């Protein structure tokens, strides 16, 4: 049986960043994942979501020396624009622009395609001393004792570890093995994620356009074959999402151009479409004996305001800060749980409420959404507070 200080289940972006941080602390880390990273956007199973990494995530990347390998693929976010709209085809009712200068920053963050981030991190970690990447092998079960965990892997091998980190996504096998249950809220919505080109430039601005059904978000990417390109995240009621998913590219592009209120000119999809159910899901505990959950294993949020993976990287920072030389010792796990529980539940509650208000067809709720947008933007102290809360952990900002 082999031994490692920390076993990480899940080589998604969060698991890989956690591995880099734990190895930097001098720990041996083994990371397992049944699905190796893909090398192109077109490959089967490619994660076509993109992540707008906000300032605190960049700080973590810098600290771990990861920004050097990621920066070549990053597009800066110079402003966030929020548009309220009504009816179909949507008519713009109001627009507000949030600028990083309000927080004395040049940019809010940097956008990277998820498949690219994952592949780049995995390549980098393959060369990092102290890290063993076992791609193609999954976590299958464990027996946690006071001094160590014995874990079974999907290839029939076993490994012992002083800490198991569950970074294995929304259906976490580690959470299940540790007996940690999930609280899940469904909205009847689905979200489509894909890449599109458009005839008008994005000027490095990310835009969220609200309408009944949910948000339509554009996030700037580098040009594609000479045309401006953006990652698109489009939330809808389930039936409408399925209808859009089934359209041919020309009809889908026409619907998208209308939904975007023409702000990016004529739009055309240039990637397959991926679809996810929209849920808020929170783990009822973040830790168990010699076990910690991070990222979507601990919390899944509706894709609004670039919160999901950024919240996950706050988990990674908190875990790195909490662990003692014996990484799975109870005191460190208690510190981690305390550091993250309030931020996760607060952020989940705010985004849940926001999503329910944003997707509503009811005229009074739509009026409330518009009034809320104006108030959040036009009153400078509220605007700055909301922007800071969007960037960092709630318990450091409030
Ligand atoms: C449409 C959409 C847009 C989004 N946009 C943003 C955004 O702009 N900004 C942002 O911050 N967040 C965003 N999010 C959220 C973000 O994409 C997710 O939070 C993030 O990708 C999840 O990362 P993860 O590492 O937790 O999970 P995953 O990426 O799901 O990784 C989990 C890994 O665990 C592996 N695994 C599963 N089972 C096992 C097992 N038994 N053993 C070992 N490994 C296993 C899987 O193969 C996978 O590689 C968005 C989400 C959606 C749906």
């Amino acid at each position: 049986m082999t031994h490692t200080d920390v076993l990480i289940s899940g080589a998604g972006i969060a698991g890989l960043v956690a591995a880099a941080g734990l190895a930097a602390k001098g720990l041996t880390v083994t990371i397992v994942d049944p699905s190796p990273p893909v090398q192109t956007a077109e490959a089967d199973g490619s994660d076509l979501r993109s992540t707008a990494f906000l300032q605190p995530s960049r700080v973590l990347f810098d600290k771990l020396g990861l920004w050097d390998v990621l920066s070549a693929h990053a597009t800066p976010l110079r402003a966030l624009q929020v548009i309220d709209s009504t009816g179909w085809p949507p008519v713009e009712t109001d627009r507000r622009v949030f600028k990083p200068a309000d927080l004395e920053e040049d940019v809010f963050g940097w956008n990277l395609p998820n498949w690219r981030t994952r592949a780049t991190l995995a390549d980098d970690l393959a060369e990092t001393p102290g890290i063993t990447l076992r791609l193609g092998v999954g976590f299958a079960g464990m027996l946690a004792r006071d001094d160590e965990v014995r874990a079974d892997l999907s290839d029939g091998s076993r490994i012992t570890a002083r800490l198991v980190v569950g970074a294995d996504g929304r259906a976490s096998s580690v959470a299940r093995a540790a007996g940690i249950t999930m609280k899940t809220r469904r909205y009847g919505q689905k979200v489509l994620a894909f890449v599109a080109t458009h005839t008008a430039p994005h000027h490095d601005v990310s835009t969220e356009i609200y309408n009944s059904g949910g948000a339509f978000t554009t996030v700037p990417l580098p040009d594609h074959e000479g045309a401006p390109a953006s990652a698109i995240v489009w939330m809808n009621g389930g039936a409408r999402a399925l209808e859009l998913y089934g359209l041919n590219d020309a009809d889908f592009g026409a619907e998208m151009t209308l939904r975007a209120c023409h702000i990016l000119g004529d739009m055309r999809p240039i990637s397959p479409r991926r679809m996810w159910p929209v849920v808020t899901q929170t783990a009822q505990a973040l830790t168990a004996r010699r076990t910690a959950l991070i990222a979507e294993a601990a919390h899944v949020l509706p894709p609004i305001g670039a919160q999901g993976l950024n919240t996950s990287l706050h988990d990674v920072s908190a875990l790195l800060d909490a662990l003692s030389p014996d990484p799975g010792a109870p005191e460190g796990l208690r510190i981690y749980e305390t550091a993250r529980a309030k931020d996760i539940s607060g952020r989940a509650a705010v985004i849940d409420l926001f999503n329910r208000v944003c997707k509503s067809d009811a005229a009074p709720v739509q009026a409330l959404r518009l009034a809320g947008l104006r108030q959040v933007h036009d009153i400078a102290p509220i605007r700055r507070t909301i922007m800071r809360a969007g960037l960092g952990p709630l318990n450091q900002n409030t």
Side-chain angles (χ1 to χ4, degrees):
M1 194 166 348
T2 49
H3 179 79
T4 184
D5 290 331
V6 184
L7 172 66
I8 300 180
S9 174
I13 297 169
L16 291 167
V17 176
L22 292 161
K25 287 174 86 78
L27 297 165
T28 56
V29 181
T30 299
I31 179 160
V32 295
D33 195 310
S35 308
V38 301
Q39 296 300 326
T40 64
E42 293 74 28
D44 272 358
S46 165
D47 184 348
L48 293 173
R49 294 173 290 184
S50 75
T51 297
F53 289 104
L54 303 175
Q55 288 281 1
S57 297
R58 163 72 189 273
V59 170
L60 180 64
F61 287 147
D62 276 335
K63 197 167 136 190
L64 300 180
L66 298 173
W67 189 242
D68 295 344
V69 290
L70 293 173
S71 58
H73 310 292
T75 309
L77 275 188
R78 301 202 186 278
L80 298 173
Q81 180 170 242
V82 181
I83 293 177
D84 202 56
S85 71
T86 184
W88 184 267
V91 175
E92 180 175 331
T93 48
D94 217 333
R95 181 188 296 221
R96 293 291 188 273
V97 180
F98 296 80
K99 300 217 168 106
D102 256 2
L103 300 179
E104 290 164 16
E105 303 282 359
D106 296 331
V107 296
F108 278 118
W110 294 264
N111 195 50
L112 286 105
N114 281 11
W115 71 267
R116 171 82 78 184
T117 305
R118 187 173 180 236
T120 305
L121 291 175
D123 285 351
D124 190 59
L125 266 53
E127 307 295 325
T128 304
I131 296 182
T132 306
L133 276 174
R134 294 183 63 181
L135 302 174
V137 177
F139 170 94
M142 67 179 182
L143 176 65
R145 301 178 172 187
D146 284 344
D147 56 342
E148 67 174 17
V149 176
R150 291 176 178 210
D152 296 318
L153 303 181
S154 59
D155 62 355
S157 63
R158 286 188 157 178
I159 186 165
T160 57
R162 289 193 283 158
L163 172 68
V164 171
V165 175
D168 43 4
R170 48 179 81 191
S172 169
S173 300
V174 170
R176 202 166 43 248
I180 299 175
T181 53
M182 302 288 158
K183 184 172 155 201
T184 306
R185 178 191 277 271
R186 296 176 199 283
Y187 304 90
Q189 291 165 291
K190 291 188 191 299
V191 57
L192 293 168
F194 52 93
V195 179
T197 53
H198 33 87
T199 50
H202 51 55
H203 299 299
D204 294 339
V205 175
S206 176
T207 304
E208 293 197 353
I209 306 172
Y210 289 96
N211 199 307
S212 58
F216 177 98
T217 304
T218 70
V219 188
L221 290 178
D223 287 358
H224 174 83
E225 296 175 353
S230 294
I232 310 292
V233 174
W234 187 358
M235 293 162 74
N236 278 286
R240 171 72 171 146
L242 286 167
E243 181 194 341
L244 289 167
Y245 186 77
L247 291 180
N248 64 46
D249 279 359
D251 291 346
F252 186 63
E255 292 289 302
M256 189 190 338
T257 301
L258 291 177
R259 180 63 184 83
C261 299
H262 300 274
I263 61 160
L264 293 175
D266 288 335
M267 302 184 76
R268 187 170 66 88
I270 53 160
S271 76
R273 299 155 216 171
R274 302 266 190 264
M275 190 158 58
W276 281 264
V278 178
V279 298
T280 296
Q281 176 171 288
T282 46
Q284 298 301 78
L286 299 176
T287 58
R289 187 187 283 171
R290 295 221 163 245
T291 306
L293 301 182
I294 64 168
E296 286 208 334
H299 45 78
V300 184
L301 305 174
I304 297 177
Q307 292 298 300
L309 198 44
N310 284 285
T311 305
S312 301
L313 296 184
H314 295 317
D315 301 345
V316 174
S317 294
L319 188 65
L320 296 176
D321 288 347
L323 294 186
S324 52
D326 173 0
E331 183 53 19
L333 293 178
R334 240 190 323 272
I335 293 171
Y336 170 65
E337 178 101 38
T338 306
R340 294 303 299 142
K342 182 180 164 202
D343 178 59
I344 291 169
S345 61
R347 209 165 284 267
V350 169
I351 293 177
D352 164 62
L353 178 65
F354 199 62
N355 185 41
R356 281 187 289 134
V357 168
C358 290
K359 79 186 187 72
S360 174
D361 299 331
V365 182
Q366 291 202 357
L368 182 71
R369 181 176 76 204
L370 185 56
L373 168 62
R374 288 178 178 152
Q375 198 169 39
V376 161
H377 179 274
D378 299 351
I379 304 175
I382 299 182
R383 181 173 70 238
R384 282 195 286 270
T385 302
I386 296 282
M387 286 161 72
R388 267 193 213 101
L391 294 188
L394 292 179
N395 49 3
Q396 286 175 18
N397 294 303
T398 53

